[in-house]
Amino acid sequence: MQIYLPIAELPVNVLLVLFMGLAVGFISGMFGIGGGFLMTPLLIFIGISPAVAVASVASHVAASSFSGAINYWRRRALDPALAGMLLIGGLIGTTAGVMLFTLLRALGQLDLTIGLSYLVLLGTVGSMMIAESVQAILRARGGRPAEIRRPGSHMWIHGLPLKMRFKVSKIYVSVIPIWLIGFVIGFIGAIMGIGGGFLLVPALIYLIRVPTGVVIGTSMVLTLVTMAYATVIHAATNHLVDAVLALILMIGGVIGAQFGARTGARFSGEQLRLLLGILVLAVGLRFAYDLIVQPVDLYTVRPVEEQSL
Amino acid sequence: MRARTAALGMLLALAAPAQAERLITTLSTSRVLISSNFTGADVVLFGSVERDAQTVARRGGYDIVITVTGPRETVVTYRKERVAGVWVNADSRTFVKAPSYLTVLSNRTINDIADINTLRRTQTGLARTLLPQEISGDIADSTRDDPFRQAFLRLKIERGLYREIQNGVTFLTPALYRAAIPIPDNAPTGSYEVDVKLFADGALLARQQTALEIVKVGFEQFVAAAAREHGLFYGLATALMALLTGWLASVVFRKD
C-alpha cells in the first residue's frame, strides 16, 4: 500500500512506515527515550532526505513521549517540578543548538560533526551504562543489597547554591546543575536531531541521583516539550515537516509506546539500563563503522538549498 | 528598381537553408498530477516529420532524439577521503543549475545518429549535457572524464532521475514517431522542458520545444502549500496533532 508524501516528495509503503513507528515506539516506551536516534537513520535508509526525516521525526517523538508521559503521570512516576526546571535550560539549549547547527552547515562540516558526536556520545554513554548496570546486577545476585543512595556520597554538585526540594524525587539539590543538564540536552539534541532521552536518563540518575522510577517519566516531559518546540521551529523556518509521514509514524509510535511502557515495567531498573546501554552502544558502533570502514560510494550529491536540520 | 527588389528576394529565398522538414509534436498530457497514490507515470509523446514538396529524400531515414529536462537546482557533490582514520567529506564540487531530472530518448544508439562533434555541439546525450561547475568563483563546464562529473551522473542514474533510453523512440511510419517519457515517483515538481531534435544523415535538421508540468493536486497540494506558506501554523497544527495522537492512545489503552 503506497502513499505519496507531500513534503518528502516520494511514495512510501504505509505498512512499512507504520511498522517502523511501532518498533521505535515500543523501544521509546520501554526505556523512556524519544527514539529519534533510531528513527532518523531508518527513514534515511528508506530514501527520505535527512532534512525531512529529522524534521518529521521530531513530531513523532513528541507524540510517543506524550502518550508515555501520561502513563507515567498516572502512576505518579514523574516529577513535574524537576521537569519544569529541566525545561528552562532545555529550551535555551535548543535555541543555541539550532544556531550552532546553522553555522556548522555553512562551514560544510556538519556531517562529520554529527557522525563524531553520535560515535563519541553513544559510545561512551552506552559503555558506561553497560558497565554500571552489570555491576549493579552482579551485586544484587551476590546477595548484597543494591546500592541505593548513600547519604555520605555527596558530590561537589550538592554543594552548589540555589537549592530546591523536589518532593516526588525526594531529593534536595541546587537547580544550577539541573538547568545545565537541560541546556546541554537541548543543545546536543538540536545539533544531532535527537530528543536526548538516552543522555538525560543517565545524567539524572548518576549526577542528580534522581530515583530510577521517576527518571523516565520526567525525561519524557522534557523530550515532549523540546520535540514539540522543534517541530514548530522546523516547520516555520525550513518548511520540511511532512505531516503525512509524521502522522503515520505517530500512530505506530504511540501504540508501540504503550506496549513498550508495559513491557518496561516488568524489568528492574538495572536490567533496563543494561538493555538501553547495549542499544545505545550498538547505534554508536554503527556510526563508528560508517566513519572507519571505507564507504561503498565515496561520492554523495546534495542540493545546496536543502536544509539538513 | 522593382525588378531588382524582386531579384534580391528570390536570391534570399534561395540562400535560406533548406529547412524543409518541420517537426510536429504533442504530449498525451502536459500536466502530470501528483495525488496521494502517485507512484510514477509515463507521458507519451507523439510526433510527425512534416515534409513539403521541395524536400529531398533522406537516404538514411530520420533519427529523433528527445531530451526532457526537469527544474534546475544547484547541487554539491562531495568526495570522502580518509583523514586521521575516519572518512570525511574532504573535497567537493558545486554543480550550478544542473537539471534535477534528465532523460534522453532516441530511436537508436545516439553515437550512430551523428558524429561526435555534432552531438557535442547540439548537447545530445547524457554524456554531452553541460553540467557547469563553480570553480573558485568562476563557472565552467568540466572535462567529460572529471570524476566529480561522472560520480554526479552515476548517482543521478542510480536514483532513476537521469536516463538514456536508446530505443525509447519508435517510428510507427517513416514520418510518425512515438515515445514514452518515464516520470519516476521521486521526480521533483515543476516545469519540464521537452526538446525534440530531428537528425538525418548525421545532421541536425529541425528542433522543436514543448513543455511539461508536474504538479501536486488535492490533499498533497494542500499540505505542501500549507507547509510552505503558513509554516508556523502548519508546525503548530502538526505539534497539536502529535499531542492529540499521544493523548488518544493513552485513553484507548487505559487499563484501569
Side-chain angles (χ1 to χ4, degrees):
Chain A
M1 204 169 102
Q2 301 274 322
I3 187 166
Y4 187 87
L5 301 175
I7 309 294
E9 302 197 326
L10 75 150
V12 291
N13 188 322
V14 180
L15 295 177
L16 176 73
V17 176
L18 200 64
F19 178 76
M20 282 165 43
L22 266 172
V24 175
F26 183 86
I27 293 168
S28 83
M30 187 161 161
F31 300 114
I33 54 170
F37 76 101
L38 293 169
M39 186 53 99
T40 309
L42 277 177
L43 288 180
I44 295 167
F45 181 72
I46 63 165
I48 289 160
S49 81
V52 175
V54 170
S56 309
V57 160
S59 60
H60 157 255
V61 172
S64 302
S65 20
F66 188 51
S67 128
I70 294 174
N71 265 9
Y72 284 96
W73 172 246
R74 288 209 189 106
R75 289 172 14 210
R76 293 290 174 268
L78 72 85
D79 188 335
L82 182 61
M85 286 295 137
L86 282 168
L87 273 175
I88 295 175
L91 293 180
I92 299 170
T94 305
T95 312
V98 170
M99 284 158 75
L100 180 68
F101 186 96
T102 314
L103 181 74
L104 284 173
R105 243 177 40 120
L107 295 175
Q109 287 306 338
L110 190 66
D111 281 6
L112 177 66
T113 312
I114 290 178
L116 283 176
S117 348
Y118 263 92
L119 170 61
V120 171
L121 274 174
L122 274 65
T124 42
V125 172
S127 320
M128 274 164 58
M129 289 177 83
I130 292 173
E132 186 278 335
S133 51
V134 165
Q135 274 173 15
I137 289 171
L138 288 179
R139 262 200 308 274
R141 283 251 175 94
R144 275 165 290 170
E147 188 181 8
I148 314 167
R149 271 176 298 150
R150 288 167 297 166
S153 68
H154 276 192
M155 288 186 288
W156 58 272
I157 282 177
H158 299 87
L160 291 169
L162 280 171
K163 286 207 173 191
M164 191 175 155
R165 193 170 296 283
F166 296 96
K167 286 193 188 109
V168 185
S169 305
K170 299 193 186 76
I171 48 170
Y172 181 64
V173 286
S174 161
V175 292
I176 294 172
I178 296 173
W179 284 340
L180 217 63
I181 289 175
F183 179 86
V184 169
I185 299 295
F187 186 76
I188 290 173
I191 293 171
M192 294 167 64
I194 54 174
F198 72 95
L199 292 171
L200 182 58
V201 171
L204 290 179
I205 294 175
Y206 301 126
L207 297 179
I208 313 289
R209 307 275 163 127
V210 180
T212 315
V214 183
V215 160
I216 293 180
T218 309
S219 136
M220 278 190 163
V221 176
L222 181 69
T223 311
L224 155 68
V225 178
T226 49
M227 286 292 104
Y229 175 69
T231 303
V232 177
I233 297 272
H234 281 311
T237 57
N238 306 327
H239 313 291
L240 286 170
V241 177
D242 196 310
V244 176
L245 173 65
L247 183 64
I248 307 171
L249 290 177
M250 271 176 213
I251 294 173
V254 292
I255 297 172
Q258 294 292 324
F259 289 108
R262 265 170 229 176
T263 312
R266 281 192 227 130
F267 291 89
S268 73
E270 290 78 25
Q271 286 170 324
L272 277 183
R273 261 146 43 209
L274 176 61
L275 286 174
L276 180 57
I278 293 171
L279 185 71
V280 167
L281 186 63
V283 177
L285 290 178
R286 181 72 189 78
F287 275 89
Y289 179 85
D290 281 348
L291 282 172
I292 291 161
V293 174
Q294 174 164 7
V296 178
D297 198 332
L298 291 178
Y299 292 88
T300 42
V301 169
R302 199 166 318 139
V304 167
E305 297 83 358
E306 195 178 28
Q307 312 255 326
S308 8
L309 180 68
Chain B
M1 186 69 194
R2 196 176 278 170
R4 259 194 201 168
T5 319
L8 200 67
M10 270 179 76
L11 264 172
L12 278 174
L14 283 171
Q19 253 193 349
E21 279 93 351
R22 270 199 320 137
L23 280 171
I24 294 174
T25 56
T26 178
L27 294 168
S28 61
T29 176
S30 59
R31 269 157 70 95
V32 176
L33 306 178
I34 295 186
S35 56
S36 51
N37 57 1
F38 180 76
T39 54
D42 270 342
V43 173
V44 180
L45 181 145
F46 271 109
S48 80
V49 183
E50 291 285 298
R51 306 157 49 116
D52 60 24
Q54 287 98 43
T55 310
V56 290
R58 308 283 177 188
R59 240 175 307 143
Y62 293 120
D63 287 310
I64 293 281
V65 180
I66 302 169
T67 310
V68 186
T69 314
R72 290 175 186 275
E73 57 180 6
T74 299
V75 297
V76 183
T77 302
Y78 293 95
R79 180 167 62 195
K80 286 198 167 71
E81 269 168 39
R82 190 169 234 153
V83 178
V86 295
W87 289 91
V88 298
N89 286 334
D91 208 354
S92 70
R93 296 282 184 279
T94 305
F95 290 91
V96 183
K97 292 188 176 145
S100 55
Y101 166 98
L102 184 64
T103 291
V104 182
L105 303 116
S106 53
N107 60 311
R108 60 181 170 131
T109 313
I110 290 181
N111 290 340
D112 296 342
I113 289 176
D115 65 84
I116 199 78
N117 288 327
T118 311
L119 292 177
R120 265 190 202 150
R121 206 179 52 244
T122 56
Q123 284 191 53
T124 306
L126 274 193
R128 285 164 293 273
T129 304
L130 284 182
L131 291 172
Q133 290 180 10
E134 192 185 319
I135 301 155
S136 55
D138 286 337
I139 293 175
D141 196 21
S142 57
T143 52
R144 300 290 173 257
D145 51 1
D146 171 51
F148 281 92
R149 182 195 157 94
Q150 286 184 340
F152 174 77
L153 284 175
R154 179 170 51 77
L155 288 166
K156 280 291 206 178
I157 291 167
E158 277 171 16
R159 294 185 58 194
L161 289 169
Y162 278 24
R163 275 182 90 170
E164 199 168 80
I165 309 173
Q166 310 254 11
N167 56 358
V169 179
T170 319
F171 273 96
L172 305 170
T173 71
L176 195 64
Y177 57 91
R178 172 188 184 282
I181 302 165
I183 307 293
D185 55 21
N186 55 351
T189 54
S191 180
Y192 286 58
E193 293 165 31
V194 181
D195 177 41
V196 185
K197 292 192 207 86
L198 173 73
F199 290 89
D201 304 328
L204 179 65
L205 296 182
R207 199 167 177 169
Q208 218 229 340
Q209 266 108 9
T210 175
L212 175 66
E213 212 187 350
I214 300 189
V215 288
K216 293 175 192 162
V217 287
F219 178 68
E220 307 296 310
Q221 201 271 336
F222 171 76
V223 173
R228 201 176 47 244
E229 282 150 34
H230 309 284
L232 185 62
F233 291 106
Y234 177 87
L236 288 171
T238 313
L240 210 65
M241 177 172 86
L243 297 188
L244 199 70
T245 319
W247 173 75
L248 217 65
S250 76
V251 169
V252 170
F253 289 90
R254 194 167 185 165
K255 249 194 177 167
D256 41 36

